[in-house]
Amino acid sequence: MSWRISALLRETLLNLRANGTRTAFLFVGATLVFGSLAFAELRVASDLLAFQRSLVAGGGYVAIASGQEGVQAAGCAALAGQRGTVSSGGLRSRGQVTFATQPGVLFQAAGVTEGVLRVWDPSWRVPAASGAALVLGRAAATELGVRPGLPVTEVGERPTVTSVVETMQRNPQAGRWVLDVVPASGRVDECWVEFEPSAYEAGLASLSAQLTDGSVEAVTRPYLRQGEFARDPADELRDRPQRLGWLVTAALLTGIFALAAWFRRTELGLYIALGTPRSALALSFAFETWVVCVLAWAAALLWAAAFARVFDYSLTPGALRLAVVTSGSSALLVAAAAPLLCPLLARGSLAALLKDR
């Protein structure tokens, strides 16, 4: 064997085929190790993504601002145009109302700007309607037995129900409210603002200053008070147990490859006796390691993704990228470290290597 790359590659393939049991053992072991690491990353990522979705859906990034004399409706609505803000809008209470179909039942009434409906129900869309119109909470619509497009008789009026807003997750008490969509003018009792997750902390901290009007100071609070034991997806991802797993798995697999090389000391001695430089042996051993690592890593990603699908984990691009990067880092470290063991194992006299077994 010489320094020619083609000869080294041919010899590498012959070595891999000559001892199929050893090659299969190394391949299966590396696949299981890489796959376990990738599957653990997919599981953690799926869990955090599910929690993040539930936190967003439940209003975890919603803030409420209020004041003794209310806040400016125009200033509240203008927040929706700022970077990092999903939607914003205000509400103004206007007492209680009753309907001819339910004369003895009172419903809370409020005037709202369109933005607050989007905060309460992200799927809500502006209805195409004109004239007097109402938006009902889901519970109120069910109780009155109406749906969008049907007229409903209020005292002195005959408005049309243009839409039904689902507020159960973000403002359950508004489920029995009767809402008028009003322009963003004057003052509102409360200003509801939804921020993007990355902008929530900064937005909450600056919200009071943005809505304070002269001597009227706005007081802000988060919709969900998560408390000191709340989960933080970013912190959990950063502190996940397997964050250093790529180092552990790389050390484990490097040890396995070293053990396999140790039992080949006589074979290494034969190569040296035939005039093969030790540096060429190291390169040949590197080729063998790289072939096994690449194939095992690819197979590991496939079975990890398949198992994740079986357990109904979220295979989002972010989760897959995390699994690829972590397991790939382990594979690269093994591919870099394992070949260095061959020259160390082949050290010593030729006679000692040949009579090793």
Side-chain angles (χ1 to χ4, degrees):
M1 189 171 63
S2 67
W3 270 99
R4 288 182 303 170
I5 299 299
S6 59
L8 288 174
L9 288 175
R10 183 169 60 253
E11 194 69 21
T12 297
L13 294 177
L14 289 174
N15 283 332
L16 291 173
R17 293 171 56 186
N19 196 329
T21 302
R22 180 186 65 211
T23 302
F25 170 77
L26 293 175
F27 173 78
V28 172
T31 300
L32 290 176
V33 172
F34 291 146
S36 298
L37 181 60
F39 181 76
E41 291 289 61
L42 290 175
R43 180 183 59 81
V44 169
S46 177
D47 177 64
L48 292 179
L49 288 171
F51 174 73
Q52 179 74 5
R53 286 193 296 268
S54 66
L55 185 61
V56 172
Y61 300 103
V62 172
I64 305 172
S66 59
Q68 290 185 348
E69 300 178 17
V71 296
Q72 287 287 349
C76 175
L79 294 174
Q82 295 184 1
R83 184 177 181 180
T85 302
V86 178
S87 185
S88 65
L91 69 92
R92 182 187 306 116
S93 177
R94 64 178 186 89
Q96 296 177 321
V97 296
T98 188
F99 296 91
T101 55
Q102 299 280 355
V105 180
L106 296 176
F107 295 87
Q108 179 68 40
V112 298
T113 60
E114 290 181 356
V116 79
L117 295 177
R118 297 191 183 95
V119 174
W120 292 343
D121 182 4
S123 64
W124 185 84
R125 296 294 179 266
V126 179
S130 59
L134 289 177
V135 176
L136 298 182
R138 175 68 61 186
T142 301
E143 194 169 341
L144 291 170
V146 297
R147 64 177 186 273
L150 291 180
V152 60
T153 303
E154 190 181 342
V155 177
E157 300 180 9
R158 188 175 176 79
T160 300
V161 178
T162 56
S163 65
V164 175
V165 62
E166 181 58 72
T167 67
M168 182 55 64
Q169 285 191 304
R170 297 191 174 184
N171 191 7
Q173 64 180 355
R176 291 193 75 257
W177 286 8
V178 177
L179 308 170
D180 287 306
V181 179
V182 298
S185 60
R187 290 187 175 275
V188 290
D189 299 331
E190 293 180 341
C191 176
W192 289 60
V193 186
E194 181 181 6
F195 297 100
E196 295 178 357
S198 59
Y200 177 67
E201 295 295 338
L204 182 62
S206 63
L207 185 58
S208 177
Q210 294 186 74
L211 294 178
T212 294
D213 178 22
S215 60
V216 180
E217 181 179 358
V219 178
T220 62
R221 61 180 176 86
Y223 172 64
L224 289 181
R225 298 188 181 276
Q226 301 177 36
E228 59 179 317
F229 299 106
R231 295 178 62 184
D232 188 325
D235 288 344
E236 287 192 32
L237 183 63
R238 184 178 58 252
D239 299 332
R240 65 193 186 280
Q242 68 273 22
R243 69 188 185 282
L244 299 179
W246 64 279
L247 289 174
V248 177
T249 56
L252 175 62
L253 287 176
T254 301
I256 293 176
F257 278 99
L259 182 63
W262 174 264
F263 288 105
R264 298 174 61 186
R265 282 170 56 82
T266 300
E267 178 184 334
L268 298 178
L270 289 174
Y271 276 119
I272 295 173
L274 294 174
T276 305
R278 295 175 190 264
S279 55
L281 282 178
L283 188 57
S284 177
F285 188 71
F287 284 153
E288 290 187 35
T289 305
W290 294 341
V291 169
V292 173
C293 280
V294 170
L295 294 179
W297 180 55
L301 290 178
L302 290 177
W303 81 252
F307 268 77
R309 178 62 66 185
V310 169
F311 286 97
D312 201 26
Y313 292 159
S314 299
L315 296 181
T316 62
L320 291 173
R321 182 170 59 251
L322 185 64
V324 169
V325 170
T326 305
S327 60
S329 299
S330 179
L332 286 175
L333 187 55
V334 173
L340 301 178
L341 299 172
C342 183
L344 296 177
L345 296 174
R347 295 181 63 183
S349 66
L350 179 59
L353 291 175
L354 291 175
K355 70 177 182 180
D356 187 62
R357 285 195 288 179

